[in-house]
Amino acid sequence: MEGLSVVQANLKVYVDPSQSKNLSSAIFRELSPLLFKYDDAFDGVLLAYNVHAPENKGRILPGVHPFIAVRLEAKLLVFSPKADMLLEGKVVKVTEESIHVIVLGFSSAIITYEAIRNEFKYKTKHGQGLYVNRSNRRHVIKAGTMIRFVIKSMNEETLHIYGSLMPANTGSVKILEKFSEHTESVTINSTPKKRRSKEKYEVAQITEHGSVVKDAPSQNNYDRENKKSRRS
Amino acid sequence: MGVEVATNYAKMEEDISFTDSQLVYSFRLALKSVSSGDTESYSKLVDVMNPSGRLAPDEAALLLTSTKALSGAVADIDDLHHEKLLKAIFNLSLWNFGPDVIDALLELIVLLAASNGKHVDSCLDMLVSNFTPPNKVLDMLKQPRGLDKKERVLPRVHAALKNISELVPMAASRLSSIVLEQMPWKSKRNVDQWSMKRQLIYVENMFKLESGAIREFVGANMLKDVMIVLRDLDVAIGWDDILHDDSSKGVFMIELEDENYADGDEYADEDGKLPSTLSETSLSKNLTAELLDSLMVQTFEHLESSVSNKRLSEVFDTLLSSFKDTVLNTYKSKFTQFVMFYACALDPEHCGTEFASELIDMFVGGHNPLTRMSAVAYLASFLARGKFLPPAFVASYLGRLVDWCWQYCVMHDGDMNPKLHQVFYSGCQAMMYILCFRMRLMVEIPLLKSQLFCMPIDKIFKHKLDPLKVCLPSIVEEFLKQAKAARLFTSSKTFVFEDLLVSNLSRDFGGLERLDMFFPFDPCLLKNADRSFIRPNYVYWKYVRTTYHEDIDDDDEEDGSDGEVEGVTEFDDDMEEVIISRSYGDNDLEMDEFDYAMNKMSITPRNNSSAGLRMPSRIRPSMSPESL
């Protein structure tokens, strides 16, 4: 999934003197309102932070209210979705006009009927709405499915994402991964035998979370490796 | 295209054979055409969504169909071009419609919130505003028709809130502040009949949220906000409202026999007389008090349902933290704290222990002297008044208190100084107060008696700091009497209080807030809250067996048919015997109010310039048949 990054940042937190007895909880109290909000400085939504104070002390700023300034070094997990990025999320509601998705458990996304490709046809089964792919009837999108979609736009204030299922590489993650594994194995099998025995080739394994891990097994071990990754 | 859309729309109204998708399509067109200037169909749609008065069946059907179709076109509604439509939707009151229309409207609201983040706040606003019905329905809420409507609307509203939270996770964080903003009654406002009814049903909804599907996100805030409302109402009831100037009644008494409660009540004594709440004062006509009473009852019922859902401990954690922030240091709070009392009564083992431990820790380890003094006052009043607290429980906390006081004596070798050692004196007064109520119980149990006698109580009272001189005279007097009878402690000095209500010294240690006279769990004066919930769990001074009285079977009072009651207090030899008489007729009290008040355990000053800062703390004097 795109859009997630870990950044290093230098922060400065100003703590009220009344909190000086317990600086660490005061620092957390200052930082926690930043969570799950879009911040221009980070150019994204802060999801998590890990901080430590390199100097282990704070400086008292002179003034009417002498605040304590504490320098911090932080590792921040930031979510910065941009247009055309690929995101993954869980479908929570399907209607004839829209698919509602939750990304990373906090951001709501909507894919309207105009952004769903014609391949997908809306159906109702057991009172539940779902989208079925016309060319692959196993490719179903319903409540609970993890799907991959492209960002059309995002409202930074409300963290609302408008998505699209138009590109061919969008849809149910499970089906897409199966399809891409199948494509890979077809590609491999189509190579002449001679070359296979001599060449050491790289096989890209797609893990469950969508990131790509490069591996270099030999041909004999290929099937075994594949089975392992599918099982895990 | 605009003409086609208008024609389609008009046709739609007559021709019912349109499919759903055709309807949705035509609505989409109507919405999209607004940006190009064609608003004819759009205006008709706005009119449909703006129904007024009672709907005829065909109007209701039209509204239902339009709402369902709009739900399909929700992605095409934007706040820029469709302001009127949105305003119409958000102004709808669900209480005016049947279940089908309500379901359709709520589906529309949920989809609106999910389709565009900008609509989330307005959708939540609309749902929360439907917590309270229109005035017409408010009037008949207690009747079957009103109850039906309530059952029709409220569960659906809460389901919609849950659905929005599932589709838009961040919406839950907005909900708490929206609920707070829309509260019908806010601090410093007058209470009238309408605001009272609205507030009651609103708080009922807050409790539903607290225990409902999204309690994880909003539950704690709901409880805290309810506590704040209770406290604000409590503080708004001034003591002038309670102490009224009817001289025929004289100084009002809290724990009085009341013939009105004679029949069939298990707490009535042999003559059918009970301690009563003040039903005849202006408090009963005070709407603020009535609202507070009803809200307290609602809160108690919610606590009871938490017990059945096995959630009391998590609710109690929130209540305790809210108590510390909201109530502990609010000395004007008279009744709100009974929420904690009742919660502890429901689960003395866990909640009672947690409450008492928190209070003693705050006293022993706290930094702010006012908070420490408050905490120990709460602890003393709680341990004295909680009928559900076993004597061993009381003894263990008393032991910790005594230990702390003794350690303080050891560390501070100074002379009596009420201001400097105010925390210490408040601790000593707390000890004496607890013992006034519980000494007899403790000495009757051999293990506790030996624990009590091992405590360094006499060393504390004989120390240079001289707490017996500084603490509230009425408490000191009662304590000394009981301690002497139990042979726990006898003072070598004679304390002659001589008509002193309070001593200057106790005023000094009590400070501006008069924490020397702060007994937070003194009898609750709210009629319904007290009668059904507090009373069975409460220790009234009248029923406390002291160490200097024999057990008696007969009641002490004369059974006067005209409602006269006599009570007598014995005094030391150098004090006059005083006879108190009171009647429900027009006779004035014979004795001076001042003298009469002096005989009580603690005092409410009649003429206090800082009224409202102090609490009345009245316990009837103990009775003995011999002196009648």
Side-chain angles (χ1 to χ4, degrees):
Chain A
M1 187 168 106
E2 297 166 22
L4 277 173
S5 51
V6 176
V7 297
Q8 301 277 9
N10 293 327
L11 305 174
K12 203 186 274 185
V13 169
Y14 299 99
V15 176
D16 190 278
S18 62
Q19 312 295 323
S20 55
K21 213 160 184 196
N22 196 348
L23 265 182
S24 49
S25 72
I27 288 167
F28 289 133
R29 212 174 299 131
E30 289 296 316
L31 292 176
S32 54
L34 297 175
L35 288 172
F36 298 108
K37 286 201 180 72
Y38 185 87
D39 195 302
D40 283 328
F42 307 134
D43 191 28
V45 181
L46 181 63
L47 297 183
Y49 57 80
N50 191 354
V51 294
H52 86 277
E55 294 173 346
N56 218 24
K57 60 187 174 195
R59 288 156 201 267
I60 299 174
L61 300 176
V64 174
H65 298 287
F67 277 77
I68 304 169
V70 184
R71 280 183 197 278
L72 299 169
E73 280 172 7
K75 239 193 225 172
L76 308 171
L77 179 64
V78 175
F79 177 54
S80 347
K82 298 274 184 283
D84 300 326
M85 272 187 184
L86 265 177
L87 285 186
E88 286 176 15
K90 191 171 178 185
V91 174
V92 283
K93 190 178 172 88
V94 173
T95 69
E96 198 170 351
E97 290 80 24
S98 58
I99 297 175
H100 299 268
V101 187
I102 307 271
V103 176
L104 292 173
F106 76 94
S107 178
S108 53
I110 180 173
I111 304 166
T112 58
Y113 62 96
E114 292 162 332
I116 302 173
R117 58 187 187 270
N118 286 335
E119 255 183 357
F120 286 104
K121 190 175 170 214
Y122 179 75
K123 274 190 171 168
T124 322
K125 200 175 178 188
H126 307 306
Q128 211 192 28
L130 44 91
Y131 279 90
V132 183
N133 192 312
R134 284 174 227 254
S135 31
N136 176 4
R137 301 207 73 75
R138 285 186 177 197
H139 192 164
V140 170
I141 296 177
K142 60 182 182 185
T145 313
M146 287 293 292
I147 63 164
R148 194 174 287 152
F149 62 94
V150 157
I151 301 178
K152 263 178 31 185
S153 65
M154 177 173 164
N155 185 325
E156 285 152 6
E157 207 181 299
T158 57
L159 303 180
H160 213 90
I161 297 174
Y162 299 90
S164 166
L165 282 175
M166 294 301 254
N169 61 344
T170 57
S172 162
V173 170
K174 200 164 136 187
I175 302 295
L176 289 173
E177 284 181 356
K178 256 193 201 153
F179 180 70
S180 89
E181 279 173 11
H182 174 74
T183 318
E184 288 291 343
S185 67
V186 162
T187 320
I188 288 160
N189 286 334
S190 67
T191 330
K193 258 189 179 175
K194 239 185 180 178
R195 251 201 239 163
R196 263 190 284 157
S197 58
K198 281 181 186 173
E199 280 172 3
K200 279 184 185 175
Y201 50 84
E202 278 182 282
V203 174
Q205 293 180 351
I206 300 171
T207 64
E208 271 181 26
H209 302 289
S211 57
V212 174
V213 168
K214 294 213 172 168
D215 205 350
S218 64
Q219 193 206 337
N220 293 331
N221 290 332
Y222 177 76
D223 288 338
R224 240 178 277 138
E225 296 277 343
N226 236 15
K227 281 180 194 158
K228 260 194 223 166
S229 70
R230 258 184 264 137
R231 258 190 247 123
S232 63
Chain B
M1 183 158 114
V3 174
E4 280 173 14
V5 170
T7 328
N8 281 342
Y9 196 90
K11 213 180 158 198
M12 180 193 85
E13 288 175 327
E14 294 152 7
D15 184 351
I16 55 169
S17 62
F18 266 74
T19 63
D20 288 347
S21 36
Q22 283 172 322
L23 263 176
V24 171
Y25 179 72
S26 65
F27 273 46
R28 277 195 205 135
L29 282 178
L31 291 167
K32 283 180 180 167
S33 60
V34 174
S35 50
S36 50
D38 178 11
T39 56
E40 198 180 331
S41 307
Y42 170 72
S43 304
K44 285 188 185 171
L45 182 54
V46 172
D47 287 340
V48 169
M49 300 306 291
N50 246 328
S52 55
R54 217 185 156 88
L55 288 183
D58 57 335
E59 288 172 319
L62 182 59
L63 178 60
L64 176 65
T65 320
S66 307
T67 308
K68 285 185 170 170
L70 254 184
S71 301
V74 112
D76 295 300
I77 301 177
D78 75 68
D79 46 331
L80 195 61
H81 297 108
H82 307 122
E83 199 185 314
K84 277 191 190 155
L85 178 63
L86 286 169
K87 195 174 169 190
I89 295 171
F90 294 138
N91 276 342
L92 287 169
S93 174
L94 301 170
W95 295 82
N96 297 332
F97 307 120
D100 290 342
V101 176
I102 296 177
D103 284 334
L105 281 169
L106 289 175
E107 175 74 4
L108 172 60
I109 295 284
V110 169
L111 286 171
L112 258 176
S115 68
N116 188 337
K118 289 184 191 166
H119 296 149
V120 170
D121 274 5
S122 311
C123 291
L124 292 177
D125 269 333
M126 187 266 189
L127 290 174
V128 172
S129 71
N130 274 282
F131 279 176
T132 50
N135 285 349
K136 261 191 320 189
V137 181
L138 207 56
D139 249 345
M140 53 156 159
L141 268 183
K142 296 238 160 83
Q143 296 164 29
R145 228 173 55 169
L147 282 171
D148 271 341
K149 282 205 181 211
K150 203 167 98 167
E151 279 311 302
R152 192 195 306 161
V153 174
L154 292 183
R156 287 178 160 89
V157 168
H158 284 270
L161 285 169
K162 172 183 165 246
N163 291 340
I164 292 184
S165 304
E166 283 171 356
L167 295 179
V168 188
M170 301 306 283
S173 63
R174 294 288 306 131
L175 185 57
S176 303
S177 47
I178 287 171
V179 170
L180 187 61
E181 265 165 40
Q182 288 208 31
M183 188 93 71
W185 182 84
K186 295 210 168 80
S187 175
K188 295 193 176 59
R189 278 197 202 159
N190 284 329
V191 177
D192 57 53
Q193 288 288 347
W194 292 115
S195 61
M196 183 156 71
K197 289 180 187 173
R198 249 180 246 123
Q199 183 72 4
L200 283 171
I201 191 165
Y202 198 84
V203 169
E204 190 184 322
N205 279 288
M206 289 173 77
F207 282 136
K208 270 197 172 70
L209 280 174
E210 194 281 324
S211 54
I214 50 173
R215 62 180 177 272
E216 201 184 322
F217 309 110
V218 300
N221 284 333
M222 292 300 108
L223 270 179
K224 288 179 184 171
D225 291 340
V226 170
M227 286 289 271
I228 291 173
V229 167
L230 292 177
R231 187 234 16 220
D232 289 346
L233 281 167
D234 198 344
V235 161
I237 303 172
W239 277 114
D240 296 334
D241 296 326
I242 299 175
L243 299 171
H244 69 123
D245 285 329
D246 185 353
S247 55
S248 64
K249 294 269 157 62
V251 176
F252 87 99
M253 292 167 66
I254 297 174
E255 295 179 60
L256 291 174
E257 290 75 25
D258 183 349
E259 286 168 358
N260 294 335
Y261 300 105
D263 300 322
D265 197 310
E266 61 186 272
Y267 299 105
D269 50 33
E270 281 181 6
D271 294 339
K273 289 170 187 164
L274 263 186
S276 81
T277 54
L278 283 168
S279 49
E280 275 139 20
T281 64
S282 55
L283 194 60
S284 60
K285 295 173 199 113
N286 184 322
L287 284 176
T288 313
E290 197 181 323
L291 176 56
L292 178 61
D293 195 7
S294 308
L295 286 176
M296 293 281 286
V297 168
Q298 249 182 7
T299 312
F300 293 153
E301 284 167 350
H302 182 72
L303 288 176
E304 284 173 350
S305 74
S306 306
V307 172
S308 15
N309 297 337
K310 298 188 175 25
R311 291 188 56 233
L312 185 63
S313 58
E314 84 180 66
V315 169
F316 188 78
D317 286 341
T318 312
L319 279 181
L320 187 56
S321 120
S322 170
F323 167 80
K324 283 178 356 189
D325 293 335
T326 313
V327 180
L328 178 66
N329 285 323
T330 307
Y331 308 113
K332 281 194 195 184
S333 172
K334 301 168 275 299
F335 316 120
T336 311
Q337 51 266 33
F338 279 96
V339 173
M340 305 303 295
F341 188 90
Y342 191 62
C344 292
L346 289 172
D347 186 3
E349 203 185 316
H350 297 114
C351 298
T353 310
E354 210 180 317
F355 189 50
S357 303
E358 190 64 35
L359 290 172
I360 191 97
D361 289 344
M362 279 198 282
F363 173 68
V364 164
H367 300 290
N368 182 330
L370 292 178
T371 308
R372 295 174 77 183
M373 289 166 69
S374 272
V376 84
Y378 267 98
L379 180 67
S381 202
F382 178 63
L383 293 177
R385 299 291 197 167
K387 207 182 210 174
F388 46 89
L389 299 174
F393 181 98
V394 175
S396 80
Y397 286 96
L398 179 66
R400 280 185 69 182
L401 191 52
V402 172
D403 283 342
W404 183 89
C405 290
W406 175 236
Q407 289 304 316
Y408 192 94
C409 288
V410 164
M411 287 199 324
H412 294 85
D413 202 25
D415 286 323
M416 173 181 80
N417 187 332
K419 285 194 176 126
L420 184 63
H421 304 294
Q422 56 181 174
V423 177
F424 168 73
Y425 292 121
S426 65
C428 291
Q429 183 165 297
M431 272 165 49
M432 290 193 276
Y433 188 84
I434 296 167
L435 282 169
C436 288
F437 278 81
R438 303 291 198 164
M439 200 186 297
R440 175 78 183 253
L441 275 175
M442 285 172 65
V443 300
E444 279 175 351
I445 302 170
L447 180 64
L448 297 183
K449 184 175 179 179
S450 60
Q451 272 180 18
L452 184 61
F453 277 74
C454 287
M455 294 183 194
I457 292 174
D458 57 336
K459 285 197 258 183
I460 294 170
F461 289 127
K462 286 179 174 150
H463 192 267
K464 269 200 278 183
L465 287 167
D466 215 351
L468 291 175
K469 238 194 195 146
V470 178
C471 293
L472 213 56
S474 51
I475 294 188
V476 172
E477 190 193 316
E478 180 64 28
F479 168 74
L480 287 176
K481 233 193 315 188
Q482 291 206 38
K484 186 176 173 185
R487 295 195 197 94
L488 174 66
F489 166 75
T490 311
S491 171
S492 51
K493 307 179 210 171
T494 346
F495 285 90
V496 175
F497 291 115
E498 275 181 6
D499 292 1
L500 273 179
L501 261 172
V502 293
S503 68
N504 288 331
L505 296 170
S506 79
R507 191 182 281 126
D508 280 341
F509 100 76
L512 272 174
E513 292 79 11
R514 298 311 310 270
L515 288 171
D516 57 319
M517 295 190 343
F518 184 46
F519 304 97
F521 290 117
D522 266 0
C524 181
L525 305 182
L526 299 173
K527 195 164 63 167
N528 298 315
D530 177 57
R531 202 183 315 162
S532 314
F533 298 92
I534 301 297
R535 194 173 287 188
N537 301 296
Y538 194 77
V539 175
Y540 285 89
W541 175 248
K542 172 184 148 61
Y543 294 113
V544 169
R545 288 178 309 135
T546 58
T547 52
Y548 48 80
H549 280 115
E550 303 293 325
D551 274 327
I552 42 172
D553 288 337
D554 300 319
D555 190 49
D556 304 341
E557 300 100 8
E558 273 184 11
D559 188 9
S561 52
D562 59 350
E564 261 192 50
V565 172
E566 287 187 0
V568 174
T569 307
E570 276 189 326
F571 292 94
D572 292 336
D573 292 337
D574 53 346
M575 295 241 184
E576 285 177 75
E577 198 172 46
V578 178
I579 294 168
I580 305 146
S581 73
R582 182 190 60 76
S583 74
Y584 286 106
D586 291 320
N587 302 326
D588 292 335
L589 280 176
E590 287 191 8
M591 60 169 272
D592 189 65
E593 286 168 7
F594 213 75
D595 289 334
Y596 171 70
M598 186 188 69
N599 301 331
K600 304 248 167 41
M601 265 299 293
S602 44
I603 308 100
T604 293
R606 275 289 280 167
N607 303 313
N608 43 3
S609 53
S610 51
L613 282 182
R614 300 172 233 180
M615 285 182 51
S617 10
R618 297 168 171 271
I619 303 142
R620 288 203 59 212
S622 49
M623 312 282 253
S624 63
E626 300 86 40
S627 45
L628 280 170

